[in-house]
């Protein structure tokens, strides 16, 4: 039977029953058109998977059926995608998903984004993108194609089953005339493009996984390197693009002034990227030396397993109390776990079965060569991945031993800061080293013993000071000096053993000295600045030489420069900005951080939302800040978007916190707490711990110790209530949530039942329109432009590397 005839028969076998049976079910109202497309896609994915299995087993005659059913599968997912957008834009509220994520008042550009507003839509998007990427592999002519398509089809079957079980096409159980709409935080153009880009990244990890498994099946342990390289670089680039877009959105919209909060869901997008970046550098080493074969297979499988694991954490509901991004549980936890099990057991089982067959490297890695430093870089990425994965899994792990708990964001900074130093040094050292072996200069080994003893002394001193820092003032004083001594030792060792680094080290020392003079004094940030400026200087020279030989030789090092610039910007903007909270009575000027601010009242913005207007008189110039501050029925709370005024060296970030009317309210207007009691209001859980009394000569002051759990963080709050002994008049001083919102004491009863009545954010809708006092947080973000500039450079360079690898592959194919 000819291939064309087989293809036609396969298409007919899939589509004709679907048209006949599906048409009957449509007329009977059992299925709707979206569900019919989902069923066709799922059945076609089953046929395609089984057909590719037959082709892999040696039955070449099944290939036309495999190809045709795969195309039918893609067409069905495409039709489902188009149908979902159609019912969203045409406001067909007979579908529950349309009701839950759109409303007639939403602008059309956000209706477009409602596609991925809920879990059901994201599963369909994931399936459509995965099958679309598979079309590129379908055009591939390579001995590994058949097993690659077989493994690539595996998640398509699982995702197709999800769209059948819990797709976005379920009918509503009641009649709706309008919908709930999309979360106002998501109604931003960055969130219109950030999720699909991130999902392209998630979907793309399946291709390196499938190619690696195919290579294990065929025992082709080196032949997979060239075809997999463009996909690994593409996954690295597109995933990074996705989470950098998310960072821009967080900075612009959320109002807490940051771009990365170590939220478990953010970490879920980071860990497969770290694993994939480790794979990328391991593949470079394998290509030149034949080393790291087993490690690379392990990482290709692990990267995709981590995608599925992150999806499980996000979508199973286990992080519902710890992440602002987490989806609600749709009852798919068992299914997602089985998904991980199938892919994990399949991938790791295949690797274990081939472990003895994978040849070892002809020669071991040199101790002082480019490949050895690349291998160390691979270890750094793997360690980062492991530590972040452990942190984000804390609610899951602690649940085994008691109530689930999350780690603080300081954990991630603590464990990743030393690794960032190592990463910067390796980014600078690797390009300067030769492949195979780099000989240290004659006489260097004679100083090795001195360096060993000195680093031992410094390490003991650092550990002793770190352990005793809280008990002995001397230890706290000496700790930074030991840190600087370690940095000096590092510079000395690099100059002795690798004189080629001399220029880069000298430039890094100058740059670091400038940073110290600017105000960076803590040892850890100083060390990171030194490491990254070393990486920047080292890669600058290599990049220039590379571009002189042709753009293809310099783009990878350009990407390293972008990473170094980005991390220097992170240190400056996150650690050395200033912030202050200030209350602005309407029409009265107040000063904060040297800026004079005057709240001029509220106005209606062009988008129909209320805007707080603040006149700012800054040394940089006069301007008007317009910060969004409006009531959201969706969230049942005030939504606040900051005003960001950008300058070359810094941003001025003004974020509204709260707005109050003529008074702080009175007894009975707030929420009453007994000592130790917790209550949840909106997305925040408040706990009143107790009072701290502070008696004074003319007054009695009470501090209410309150904690607020929000966005995976526990924030201590200390509003105060002070009563004058002479007049008996109370004075209330509120405290503020990081994302905005005022907590104030309305009534304190320390002697009676130890309780307190608190005014909490979101309790009194309508205060904004009558507000007389606006509370804002003003902060500066020094050199934050380096974060965005470094990200753009790194992304552009990485996409150029994708093009380079694809051109290399095409050139070799034509040559063959």
């Amino acid at each position: 039977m000819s291939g064309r005839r087989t293809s036609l028969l396969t298409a007919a076998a899939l589509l004709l029953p679907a048209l006949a049976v599906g048409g009957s079910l449509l007329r009977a109202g059992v299925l709707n058109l979206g569900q019919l497309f989902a069923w066709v896609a799922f059945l076609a994915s089953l046929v395609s998977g089984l057909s590719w299995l037959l082709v892999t087993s040696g039955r070449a005659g099944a290939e036309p059926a495999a190809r045709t059913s795969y195309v039918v599968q893609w067409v069905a997912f495409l039709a489902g995608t188009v149908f979902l957008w159609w019912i969203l834009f045409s406001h067909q509220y007979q579908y529950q998903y349309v009701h839950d994520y759109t409303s007639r008042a939403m602008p059309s550009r956000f209706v477009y984004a409602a596609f991925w507003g809920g879990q059901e839509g994201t599963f369909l998007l994931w399936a459509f993108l995965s099958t679309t990427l598979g079309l590129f592999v379908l055009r591939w002519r390579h001995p590994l194609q058949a097993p690659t398509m077989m493994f690539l089809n595996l998640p398509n079957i699982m995702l197709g089953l999800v769209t059948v079980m819990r797709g976005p096409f379920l009918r509503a159980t009641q009649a709706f005339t309008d919908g709930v709409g999309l979360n106002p935080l998501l109604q931003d153009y960055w969130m219109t493009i950030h999720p699909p880009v991130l999902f392209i990244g998630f979907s793309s990890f399946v291709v390196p996984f499938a190619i690696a498994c195919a290579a294990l099946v065929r025992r082709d342990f080196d032949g997979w390197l060239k075809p997999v390289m463009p996909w690994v670089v593409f996954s690295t680039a597109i995933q990074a693009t996705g989470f950098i877009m998310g960072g821009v959105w967080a900075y612009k919209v959320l109002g807490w002034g940051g771009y990365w909060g170590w939220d478990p869901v953010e970490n879920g997008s980071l860990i497969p990227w770290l694993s994939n970046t480790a794979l990328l550098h391991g593949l470079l080493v394998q290509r030149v030396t034949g080393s790291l074969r087993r490690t690379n297979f392990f990482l290709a499988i692990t990267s995709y397993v981590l995608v599925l694991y992150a999806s499980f954490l996000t979508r199973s509901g286990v992080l519902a109390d710890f992440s602002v991004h987490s989806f609600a549980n749709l009852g798919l936890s068992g299914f997602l776990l089985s998904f991980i099990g199938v892919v994990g057991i399949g991938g790791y089982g295949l690797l274990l079965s081939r472990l003895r067959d994978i040849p070892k490297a002809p020669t071991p890695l040199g101790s002082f060569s480019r490949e050895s430093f690349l291998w160390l870089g691979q270890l750094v990425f793997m360690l980062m991945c492991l530590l972040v994965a452990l942190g984000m899994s804390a609610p899951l792990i602690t649940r085994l031993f008691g109530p689930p708990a999350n780690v603080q964001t300081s954990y991630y900074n603590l464990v990743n800061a030393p690794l960032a130093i190592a990463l910067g040094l390796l980014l600078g050292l690797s390009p300067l080293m030769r492949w195979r072996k780099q000989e240290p200069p004659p006489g260097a080994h004679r100083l090795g013993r001195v360096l060993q003893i000195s680093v031992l002394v410094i390490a003991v001193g650092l550990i002793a000071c770190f352990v005793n820092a809280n008990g002995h003032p001397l230890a706290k004083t000496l700790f930074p000096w030991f840190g600087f001594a370690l940095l000096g030792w590092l510079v000395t060792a690099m100059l002795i053993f690798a004189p080629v680094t001399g220029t880069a080290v000298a430039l890094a020392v100058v740059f670091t000295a400038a940073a110290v003079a600017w105000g960076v004094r803590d040892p850890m940030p100083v060390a990171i600045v030194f490491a990254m400026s070393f990486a920047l200087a080292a890669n600058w020279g290599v990049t220039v030489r590379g571009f002189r030989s042709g753009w293809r030789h310099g783009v990878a090092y350009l990407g390293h420069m972008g990473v170094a610039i980005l991390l220097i910007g992170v240190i400056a903007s996150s650690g050395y900005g200033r912030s202050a909270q200030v209350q602005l009575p309407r029409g009265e000027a107040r000063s904060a951080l040297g800026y004079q601010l005057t709240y001029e009242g509220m106005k209606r913005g062009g988008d129909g939302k209320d805007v707080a207007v603040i006149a700012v008189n800054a040394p940089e110039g006069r301007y008007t800040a317009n910060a969004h501050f409006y009531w959201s029925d969706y969230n049942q709370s005030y939504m606040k978007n900051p005003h960001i005024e950008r300058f070359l060296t810094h941003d001025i970030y003004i974020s509204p916190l709260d707005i109050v009317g003529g008074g702080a309210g009175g007894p009975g207007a707030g929420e009453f707490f007994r000592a130790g009691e917790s209550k949840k209001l909106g997305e925040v859980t408040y706990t009143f711990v107790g009072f701290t009394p502070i008696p004074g000569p003319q007054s009695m002051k009470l501090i209410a110790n309150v904690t607020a759990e929000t966005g995976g963080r526990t924030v201590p709050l200390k509003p105060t209530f002070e009563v004058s002994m002479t007049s008996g008049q109370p004075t209330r001083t509120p405290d503020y949530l990081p994302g905005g919102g005022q907590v104030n004491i309305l009534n304190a009863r320390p002697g009676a039942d130890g309780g307190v009545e608190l005014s909490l954010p979101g309790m009194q809708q309508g205060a904004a329109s009558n507000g007389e006092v606006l509370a804002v947080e003003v902060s500066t973000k020094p050199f934050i432009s380096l974060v965005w500039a470094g990200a753009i450079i790194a992304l552009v360079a990485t996409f150029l590397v994708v093009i380079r690898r694809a051109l290399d592959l095409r050139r070799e194919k034509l040559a063959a």
Side-chain angles (χ1 to χ4, degrees):
M1 187 181 295
S2 68
R4 183 181 296 275
R5 188 178 176 188
T6 306
S7 299
L8 291 173
L9 287 175
T10 305
L14 285 167
L15 295 177
L16 292 179
L19 292 174
V21 178
S24 302
L25 294 174
L26 283 175
R27 284 193 297 274
V30 178
L31 289 181
N32 57 57
L33 200 55
Q35 290 171 319
L36 177 61
F37 290 141
W39 271 107
V40 172
F42 171 60
L43 294 175
S45 67
L46 280 177
V47 174
S48 178
L50 291 172
S51 301
W52 283 115
L53 176 62
L54 292 174
V55 179
T56 304
S57 305
R59 299 185 179 181
E63 184 171 341
R67 289 179 174 276
T68 304
S69 52
Y70 190 89
V71 173
V72 170
Q73 173 191 181
W74 176 78
V75 170
F77 277 130
L78 173 65
T81 300
V82 172
F83 182 75
L84 178 56
W85 260 316
W86 178 66
I87 61 176
L88 288 170
F89 276 102
S90 55
H91 301 295
Q92 299 196 32
Y93 295 115
Q94 67 270 31
Y95 295 96
Q96 187 66 42
Y97 193 81
V98 179
H99 165 265
D100 291 345
Y101 298 102
T102 68
S103 70
R104 296 186 185 279
M106 279 173 57
S108 58
R109 61 184 182 279
F110 300 136
V111 175
Y112 167 78
F115 189 112
W116 39 85
Q119 284 216 62
E120 300 91 335
T122 58
F123 276 119
L124 177 59
L125 178 69
W126 189 355
F128 172 64
L129 292 173
S130 293
T131 49
T132 302
L133 292 173
L135 291 179
F136 292 93
V137 183
L138 203 61
R139 294 172 55 85
W140 187 31
R141 296 295 178 187
H142 195 278
L144 294 178
Q145 188 199 39
T148 297
M149 288 300 299
M150 181 183 71
F151 285 104
L152 195 145
N153 215 76
L154 188 62
N156 296 344
I157 296 172
M158 308 292 279
L159 291 168
L161 182 58
V162 172
T163 56
V164 167
M165 292 166 53
R166 292 306 302 265
F169 306 115
L170 295 178
R171 291 192 178 277
T173 54
Q174 55 182 301
F176 297 111
T177 56
D178 201 351
V180 176
L182 202 60
N183 188 328
L185 290 175
L186 304 181
Q187 295 188 34
D188 181 87
Y189 58 85
W190 281 107
M191 286 307 287
T192 304
I193 55 175
H194 154 66
V197 171
L198 203 59
F199 267 96
I200 294 174
F202 272 135
S203 305
S204 67
F205 286 104
V206 72
V207 182
F209 162 79
I211 294 176
C213 289
L216 289 170
V217 168
R218 297 291 195 217
R219 290 184 169 81
D220 189 357
F221 305 119
D222 291 318
W224 70 300
L225 287 181
K226 290 179 180 175
V228 84
M229 188 71 86
W231 285 103
V232 172
V233 185
F234 175 74
S235 300
T236 305
I238 198 72
Q239 185 76 355
T241 304
F243 56 66
I244 286 171
M245 284 180 172
V248 174
W249 166 77
Y251 182 71
K252 174 177 169 287
V253 171
L254 295 185
W256 58 279
Y259 32 80
W260 187 269
W262 295 111
D263 183 277
V265 177
E266 291 175 325
N267 296 336
S269 66
L270 179 64
I271 54 173
W273 182 85
L274 288 169
S275 174
N276 195 65
T277 307
L279 170 64
L280 173 60
H281 291 85
L283 291 173
L284 294 173
V285 175
Q286 184 181 347
R287 188 187 60 176
V288 176
T289 69
S291 305
L292 303 179
R293 290 188 178 96
R294 295 173 182 176
T295 306
N296 291 336
F297 280 119
F298 172 78
L299 287 172
I301 296 166
T302 300
S303 299
Y304 193 58
V305 169
L306 288 175
V307 168
L308 302 180
Y309 176 65
S311 299
F312 164 73
L313 287 184
T314 309
R315 298 165 188 280
S316 63
V318 297
L319 299 182
D321 295 330
F322 304 98
S323 172
V324 295
H325 299 92
S326 180
F327 286 106
N329 184 11
L330 283 182
L332 296 173
S333 303
F335 173 81
L336 291 169
L337 277 176
S338 64
F339 195 177
I340 297 172
V342 168
V343 171
I345 292 172
Y348 293 126
L350 192 56
L351 176 58
L352 286 173
S353 70
R354 296 287 190 265
L355 215 50
R356 292 184 178 178
D357 301 334
I358 299 175
K360 294 182 180 177
T363 56
L365 286 174
S367 58
F368 198 63
S369 60
R370 179 177 291 194
E371 62 265 28
S372 62
F373 286 108
L374 284 171
W375 172 69
L376 287 173
Q378 191 183 45
L379 288 183
V380 168
F381 280 118
M382 291 166 67
L383 199 52
M384 283 181 168
C385 179
L386 175 65
L387 293 171
V388 174
L390 284 175
M392 65 181 281
S393 305
L396 209 59
I397 298 170
T398 53
R399 194 184 294 266
L400 300 174
F401 307 101
N406 199 9
V407 298
Q408 299 296 313
T409 53
S410 56
Y411 160 82
Y412 297 102
N413 295 330
L414 185 68
V415 301
N416 283 299
L419 295 173
I421 298 169
L423 182 65
L425 295 174
L426 292 167
L427 275 176
L429 278 167
S430 300
L432 299 177
M433 295 291 109
R434 295 176 182 170
W435 288 104
R436 304 293 183 187
K437 194 172 184 181
Q438 175 88 26
E439 291 291 345
H445 289 296
R446 285 200 298 272
L447 297 170
R449 181 60 61 89
V450 177
L451 289 172
Q452 288 176 5
I453 295 172
S454 57
V455 76
L456 189 63
V457 171
I458 294 171
V460 170
L462 261 178
I463 294 171
C465 291
F466 180 76
V467 171
N468 297 292
N470 293 328
H472 299 277
L474 182 61
K476 193 172 182 178
T477 304
L478 290 178
F479 182 71
W481 290 106
F482 274 110
F484 286 119
L486 183 61
L487 196 57
W489 176 90
L490 185 65
V491 170
T492 307
M494 288 169 68
L495 291 176
I496 291 175
F497 281 91
V500 68
T501 63
T503 304
V505 168
L507 290 172
V509 169
V510 171
F511 191 89
T512 308
V516 171
W518 181 69
V520 182
R521 305 290 166 79
D522 297 325
M524 195 63 80
V526 168
I528 294 175
V529 169
F530 171 78
M532 290 305 159
S533 52
F534 169 67
L536 182 61
N539 281 279
W540 167 257
V542 184
T543 302
V544 170
R545 288 199 298 273
F547 273 99
R548 283 175 180 167
S549 303
W551 67 271
R552 296 184 302 122
H553 301 288
V555 288
Y557 307 115
L558 182 66
H560 290 174
M561 289 175 60
V563 172
I565 293 170
L566 185 151
L567 288 178
I568 290 172
V570 168
I571 293 294
S573 60
S574 62
Y576 294 90
R578 298 178 298 149
S579 68
Q581 294 182 354
V582 60
Q583 294 196 24
L584 304 175
R586 184 170 181 170
E588 297 181 25
R590 291 284 190 271
S591 293
L593 305 179
Y595 308 120
Q596 193 175 65
L597 301 100
T598 305
Y599 168 49
E600 297 183 338
M602 304 293 293
K603 71 174 185 181
R604 186 56 56 90
D607 54 2
K609 298 173 181 174
D610 290 337
V611 174
V613 182
I614 306 165
V616 182
N617 186 0
E620 296 87 349
R622 295 173 181 265
Y623 63 91
T624 300
N626 296 300
H628 276 94
F629 193 100
Y630 58 94
W631 176 260
S632 165
D633 289 328
Y634 184 96
N635 300 83
Q636 287 298 298
S637 62
Y638 283 105
M639 308 303 295
K640 304 120 183 173
N641 302 139
H643 176 92
I644 305 170
E645 196 71 14
R646 294 182 171 84
F647 300 95
L648 182 61
T649 58
H650 64 282
D651 284 359
I652 300 176
Y653 196 92
I654 300 177
S655 181
L657 297 173
D658 205 355
I659 192 164
V660 294
E671 192 71 35
F672 184 80
F673 290 76
R674 299 182 186 281
E677 188 177 8
S678 299
K679 293 183 179 179
K680 188 171 185 178
L681 185 65
E683 299 298 321
V684 185
T685 301
Y686 299 92
T687 302
F688 171 55
V689 181
F691 285 112
T692 300
I694 304 178
Q698 299 295 326
S699 66
M700 170 58 79
K701 187 176 183 179
L702 290 172
I703 299 175
N705 297 300
V706 181
T707 61
E709 296 178 32
T710 175
R713 296 183 294 170
T714 301
V715 182
L717 300 170
K718 295 185 181 301
T720 62
F721 185 88
E722 187 170 8
V723 180
S724 169
M725 296 298 183
T726 53
S727 65
Q729 291 297 315
T731 301
R732 299 175 175 89
T733 305
D735 203 349
Y736 299 96
L737 288 171
Q742 173 180 278
V743 176
N744 206 355
I745 300 175
L746 297 182
N747 189 21
R749 302 194 302 208
D753 52 10
V756 65
E757 187 177 0
L758 297 174
S759 169
L760 302 172
M763 292 184 65
Q764 295 182 3
Q765 180 188 359
S769 59
N770 302 315
E772 296 295 333
V773 180
L774 175 70
V776 299
E777 183 172 86
V778 186
S779 57
T780 60
K781 310 294 175 189
F783 296 107
I784 195 167
S785 54
L786 293 181
V787 175
W788 314 129
I792 292 170
I793 292 171
L795 290 179
V796 169
T798 312
F799 279 111
L800 287 174
V801 173
V802 176
I803 295 171
R804 176 204 167 167
R805 295 298 174 190
L807 290 176
D808 288 347
L809 201 60
R810 185 179 179 187
R811 191 178 300 111
E812 290 171 8
K813 191 185 296 181
L814 292 174

